[in-house]
């Protein structure tokens, strides 16, 4: 009985610590579908940018996501930010 409780507790601890990684492929689809009408890829290559950290990138994505006709989940915001980071910004996390 004791071993079963310990095993169950371990499963809870390990399961709670696992985070789902952002999906850049899903981020690309979302970006191209909902953001691409106003943005074009070169907009992310400007020499002057507010994006100086990964947190700043996520913040900008969340801010501009409100301008679309779709309500994004936090996971989708993460996916879009990850896509943009891998495709344009390459900011260390």
């Amino acid at each position: 009985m004791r071993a079963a409780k310990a095993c169950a507790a371990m499963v809870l601890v390990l399961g709670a610590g696992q985070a789902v990684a952002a999906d850049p492929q899903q981020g690309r689809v979302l970006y191209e579908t909902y953001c691409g009408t106003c943005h074009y890829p070169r907009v992310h290559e400007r020499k002057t940018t507010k994006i100086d950290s990964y947190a700043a990138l996520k913040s900008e994505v969340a801010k501009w996501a409100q301008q679309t006709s779709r309500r994004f989940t936090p996971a989708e915001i993460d996916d879009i930010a990850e896509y943009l980071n891998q495709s344009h910004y390459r900011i260390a996390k």
Side-chain angles (χ1 to χ4, degrees):
M1 183 68 158
R2 230 173 155 181
K5 285 183 179 179
C7 185
M10 182 65 92
V11 168
L12 287 174
V13 169
L14 290 175
Q18 293 177 344
V20 177
D23 181 352
Q25 296 301 353
Q26 178 65 18
R28 179 181 181 182
V29 170
L30 292 167
Y31 179 84
E32 290 176 350
T33 303
Y34 297 101
C35 308
T37 55
C38 294
H39 286 274
Y40 51 94
R42 290 187 51 196
V43 75
H44 301 288
E45 297 169 6
R46 293 178 291 202
K47 293 188 190 296
T48 58
T49 180
K50 297 176 188 175
I51 309 302
D52 59 356
S53 68
Y54 194 75
L57 175 59
K58 284 179 61 172
S59 178
E60 282 293 300
V61 170
K63 179 178 91 175
W64 289 105
Q66 296 174 8
Q67 303 299 316
T68 68
S69 60
R70 186 174 191 282
R71 192 169 201 106
F72 292 95
T73 67
E76 290 171 331
I77 297 291
D78 290 344
D79 293 345
I80 295 168
E82 185 62 27
Y83 161 67
L84 290 173
N85 192 45
Q86 288 185 14
S87 64
H88 299 287
Y89 294 96
R90 296 172 183 84
I91 300 169
K93 295 184 206 174

